[in-house]
Amino acid sequence: MLFSMPGVWIKNFGCQTNVYDAERISALLRKEGYHTVTTPAAAQLIVLNTCHIREKATEKLFSDLGRLRALKTGPLPPKIFVTGCVAQALGKEIWQRAPWVDGIVGPQATHRLPDLLRASSQPVLCLEKTLPEKFQEPILSDSPTKVTALLVIQEGCDNGCTYCVVPSTRGRSFSRPVASVLEEARTLLQQGVREITLVGQNVNAYCAQDETGALCDFGSLLFLVAALPGIKRLRYTTSHPQDITDTLLRAHATLPSLMPAVHLPVQSGSDAILRAMKRPYTRTLYLEALEKLRAARSDIAFSSDFIVGFPGETEEDFQATLALVEEVSYAQAYAFKYSIRPGTPAASLPEQVPDPVKKQRLASLLALLETQQQAFYRQHLGQVVDVLFEKRGRHLGEITGRTPHFLPVVVQGSTDLIGSCCSVRLTKGLSHSLQGEIAESSL
Ligand code: SAH
Ligand code: SF4
Ligand code: F3S
């Protein structure tokens, strides 16, 4: 049977929204009779689900397309479809550099893939933004043992940070109706998922109608999802410092299943740069947002994103970022060199920072962040924490899971524990994970 089914190879780039989209694409294609293959050479259909956030991300698509070109001259050439944010941003331009591409489909038209694949004339271009339809059906996981799942509740962004392509690739902010979010969450929990991460470019901007027609904000949605039977853990990403509402704070203060790890990107510690980036807060307001969250739940650990070398960033501005990092002490963070994105306001700013300066700043910021991350890991040694086990470990007899703060933990234990939470004594720090011993299991 398997032999007559066409094979699809999907490669994903980019953020959690894209990971979720790739799962949706895979589920849609399974319904169409495709099975997933692990190499492009074995595929009749190749889907590259792309990211446009930095130049490097976009260039990865073109180097992959260069490598895949050879398959097109083979005896059974696969179809190659480019989906996601590069598709939306560059559209037809992709064909100028890679005319062997068969389809270009924007991130909000991926539900149209089955129709487009059936279309008699190809190549096809579909950049429609038909958002509610994209989420019409809940996705069915292909893995019966999946413990954690992503659930996109919001997509697009109205903020218009001057460096960012997301508002143009994903469009205006759209929030899925409450009923559709809850239906998908219930489906996931029935399939055995125990931890749900609510995902969006700006999750706390969420605002949609509930079943009674009333408006539900992000904090209220957290209460609804946390009340679903079977849920052990709830997380969300990415949140924006400007939307820390009272309901969100109440959710952190009162919901034990809402995990104490918050990703709250600051981008820069300098008010002048924040203004130029059009981030709608100051360093002080950001620190206040963290304080409010800490007051709601004292053990919250923070993570962040940073951009170094934004146009006009002086040495003092950069030092202000380092000082902010020292002040906050992050559990984890990502830092990027500013990348000029065509069509964004910051691209035409005159004072672009030379690359060697960006490189140097990135290296010193990363070094500081790494020290903080290691210190955060070390603080946990000797403690007994709750670990939700997710899967087998790399070595025989090992299982792995995460702490409430999202730190990966490896223990010796039975695979029967996968999907349950256990008390684990953390005994040893590895380079980017912890080792522990099961202290008590509470199936
Ligand atoms: N919506 C989220 C971030 C989405 S993009 C937020 O506002 O926090 C993920 C990260 O990529 C951003 O936080 C930012 O740090 C980085 N990023 C976005 N555009 C960039 C650019 N032009 N150059 C370098 N990094 C960028
Ligand atoms: Fe981009 Fe800013 Fe929107 Fe985040 S908030 S997606 S950085 S425009
Ligand atoms: Fe990249 Fe698009 Fe996500 S540009 S970061 S895949 S929203």
Side-chain angles (χ1 to χ4, degrees):
M1 180 62 196
L2 210 62
F3 297 106
S4 58
M5 285 162 75
V8 57
W9 185 73
I10 303 178
K11 180 164 177 183
N12 190 56
F13 306 83
C15 63
Q16 303 288 72
T17 312
N18 251 24
V19 174
Y20 173 90
D21 283 352
E23 284 174 16
R24 232 173 216 288
I25 292 171
S26 159
L28 262 179
L29 294 175
R30 266 199 314 280
K31 262 180 138 180
E32 288 293 301
Y34 285 84
H35 75 282
T36 309
V37 294
T38 50
T39 59
Q44 280 75 56
L45 171 65
I46 291 172
V47 178
L48 302 171
N49 194 38
T50 58
C51 172
H52 196 52
I53 201 81
R54 284 168 289 276
E55 190 184 355
K56 251 196 198 151
T58 308
E59 283 312 309
K60 269 191 208 152
L61 164 68
F62 290 103
S63 52
D64 275 16
L65 285 174
R67 274 194 296 273
L68 292 170
R69 182 180 197 176
L71 296 175
K72 285 301 240 183
T73 53
L76 288 167
K79 282 185 181 170
I80 301 181
F81 270 62
V82 175
T83 59
C85 288
V86 182
Q88 192 72 38
L90 299 187
K92 280 187 209 158
E93 267 178 71
I94 293 174
W95 281 317
Q96 284 165 17
R97 285 180 67 182
W100 54 96
V101 165
D102 299 280
I104 299 172
V105 183
Q108 289 158 2
T110 42
H111 54 290
R112 301 271 327 272
L113 263 175
D115 284 349
L116 297 168
L117 284 163
R118 267 182 244 118
S120 50
S121 69
Q122 281 179 358
V124 290
L125 174 76
C126 183
L127 304 179
E128 287 168 15
K129 290 186 176 169
T130 43
L131 264 177
E133 288 86 342
K134 172 174 166 181
F135 297 112
Q136 214 107 63
E137 295 170 50
I139 42 173
L140 293 171
S141 154
D142 56 352
S143 151
T145 57
K146 203 162 121 174
V147 176
T148 63
L150 304 175
L151 200 176
V152 166
I153 60 163
Q154 181 275 344
E155 144 147 35
C157 183
D158 293 340
N159 284 319
C161 302
T162 53
Y163 50 82
C164 183
V165 293
V166 172
S168 68
T169 62
R170 297 268 174 176
R172 295 191 65 81
S173 178
F174 164 81
S175 298
R176 281 174 77 175
V178 176
S180 141
V181 170
L182 294 181
E183 189 195 352
E184 187 157 322
R186 282 192 201 98
T187 307
L188 291 168
L189 294 166
Q190 278 156 13
Q191 287 172 5
V193 164
R194 293 291 160 258
E195 174 182 299
I196 294 180
T197 302
L198 303 180
V199 173
Q201 264 85 41
N202 206 344
V203 267
N204 48 342
Y206 180 88
C207 183
Q209 283 191 329
D210 69 12
E211 274 137 288
T212 68
L215 284 181
C216 172
D217 69 2
F218 180 60
S220 311
L221 185 73
L222 287 173
F223 279 95
L224 295 174
V225 178
L228 296 175
I231 192 152
K232 284 202 164 98
R233 288 183 168 184
L234 184 55
R235 302 183 186 274
Y236 60 85
T237 195
T238 294
S239 46
H240 193 292
Q242 77 177 341
D243 296 310
I244 308 297
T245 62
D246 289 345
T247 34
L248 175 57
L249 295 171
R250 213 166 48 243
H252 275 291
T254 54
L255 294 173
S257 60
L258 184 58
M259 291 294 104
V262 175
H263 186 62
L264 203 61
V266 64
Q267 313 299 355
S268 166
S270 149
D271 283 346
I273 295 300
L274 287 171
R275 237 187 344 267
M277 287 176 163
K278 236 181 113 199
R279 297 291 286 185
Y281 51 85
T282 57
R283 170 199 185 91
T284 308
L285 283 171
Y286 175 79
L287 290 170
E288 277 172 19
L290 299 193
E291 272 324 298
K292 281 191 209 159
L293 283 158
R294 277 194 181 122
R297 184 160 174 179
S298 59
D299 62 343
I300 291 186
F302 292 102
S303 53
S304 184
D305 293 344
F306 295 90
I307 296 177
V308 298
F310 184 83
E313 186 186 71
T314 62
E315 188 53 33
E316 288 79 56
D317 292 321
F318 177 62
Q319 290 302 326
T321 299
L322 292 180
L324 178 86
V325 173
E326 294 277 10
E327 191 169 342
V328 174
S329 198
Y330 288 98
Q332 197 258 333
Y334 300 98
F336 311 100
K337 282 193 293 181
Y338 167 71
S339 168
I340 299 177
R341 306 312 288 130
T344 59
S348 49
L349 289 176
E351 297 170 89
Q352 297 291 333
V353 175
D355 196 56
V357 178
K358 288 189 203 172
K359 255 197 193 127
Q360 221 172 31
R361 291 182 185 167
L362 182 66
S364 41
L365 178 56
L366 284 174
L368 176 60
L369 292 168
E370 177 65 20
T371 317
Q372 294 190 342
Q373 184 173 335
Q374 290 301 324
F376 188 69
Y377 271 81
R378 270 200 311 278
Q379 276 170 32
H380 285 79
L381 292 181
Q383 286 186 11
V384 175
V385 298
D386 236 23
V387 173
L388 173 62
F389 287 108
E390 294 173 20
K391 53 180 191 277
R392 284 170 198 273
R394 225 178 306 152
H395 304 107
L396 196 67
E398 279 178 358
I399 52 173
T400 71
R402 298 226 177 223
T403 70
H405 289 124
F406 209 59
L407 301 183
V409 176
V410 186
V411 304
Q412 287 289 323
S414 156
T415 50
D416 292 347
L417 294 174
I418 291 171
S420 57
C421 276
C422 300
S423 292
V424 171
R425 176 167 296 105
L426 300 171
T427 51
K428 193 175 160 195
L430 307 173
S431 63
H432 285 97
S433 66
L434 293 159
Q435 225 168 46
E437 290 161 2
I438 293 174
E440 191 190 320
S441 66
S442 55
L443 290 164

